[in-house]
Amino acid sequence: MLLEALSSAILGLALAWAASRRLPHRLPDRTLVLPTGVAGALFGAFVMNIALDAGSLPAVLFGAVVVSVASLSLLLRPAGRLRRRSATA
């Protein structure tokens, strides 16, 4: 269990770091992105561990990646400026 938690935390940190390096203009400050990736990965590993009843390490890490990417995607901002139209147009 400790190996799964440590592996998923490192994986979530790596995913968050890669996202913050690749999309710095669409993500908030790195102090928010990095903990979000780690927390998402730990939560995903926890859910997969409970669902699989201490299943295999690759399946737990897959769940960690999925939830980490999903939580990081919630931080994304639109690429361009939003164009708002009036209700009468």
Side-chain angles (χ1 to χ4, degrees):
M1 175 93 174
L2 184 62
L3 179 65
E4 293 172 352
L6 186 61
S7 300
S8 64
I10 291 171
L11 193 60
L13 185 64
L15 285 170
W17 179 80
S20 67
R21 295 280 294 170
R22 179 122 171 100
L23 301 167
H25 59 285
R26 294 192 59 198
L27 287 169
D29 192 25
R30 197 176 277 185
T31 58
L32 177 66
V33 173
L34 295 179
T36 301
V38 173
L42 286 173
F43 183 69
F46 173 71
V47 168
M48 287 299 284
N49 195 8
I50 295 298
L52 296 177
D53 196 25
S56 64
L57 182 63
V60 170
L61 292 180
F62 176 73
V65 167
V66 168
V67 176
S68 179
V69 168
S71 61
L72 287 172
S73 73
L74 294 175
L75 296 177
L76 286 175
R77 291 181 267 186
R81 296 186 68 177
L82 293 177
R83 296 181 188 165
R84 297 180 188 240
R85 294 184 177 206
S86 65
T88 59

